[in-house]
Amino acid sequence: MWRDRIKETMKEKGIKTKSVAEYAQMTEKTVSRILDGKTQAPYVDTVLVIGAAVGLSPRRPVWS
């Protein structure tokens, strides 16, 4: 699942939620809610921005 892929990448690279939030121009709480599955259907653009913040892109799928 894409959430797991993003969280795994964050852990591997030592990226904190705060850094992702700053890059994505969102609050930490929003990013946490999305990655924890509390936001059930985030916009695809939002997922792509969060993925980009950790070095993932559509060419390196976020949701694989």
Side-chain angles (χ1 to χ4, degrees):
M1 178 172 248
W2 60 267
R3 285 180 177 94
D4 296 329
R5 179 74 175 117
I6 291 172
K7 289 195 286 188
E8 286 171 17
T9 302
M10 288 173 67
K11 186 175 181 179
E12 289 170 5
K13 294 183 174 184
I15 299 171
K16 303 292 182 192
T17 305
K18 181 177 182 174
S19 297
V20 173
E22 288 173 0
Y23 180 94
Q25 297 181 347
M26 299 175 196
T27 65
E28 283 184 71
K29 184 175 181 177
T30 298
V31 173
S32 291
R33 289 181 58 79
I34 291 169
L35 295 179
D36 291 341
K38 294 177 182 174
T39 301
Q40 293 182 6
Y43 293 112
V44 172
D45 290 345
T46 301
V47 174
L48 293 174
V49 169
I50 292 172
V54 299
L56 299 173
S57 71
R59 292 180 189 245
R60 290 183 55 207
V62 170
W63 42 81
S64 63

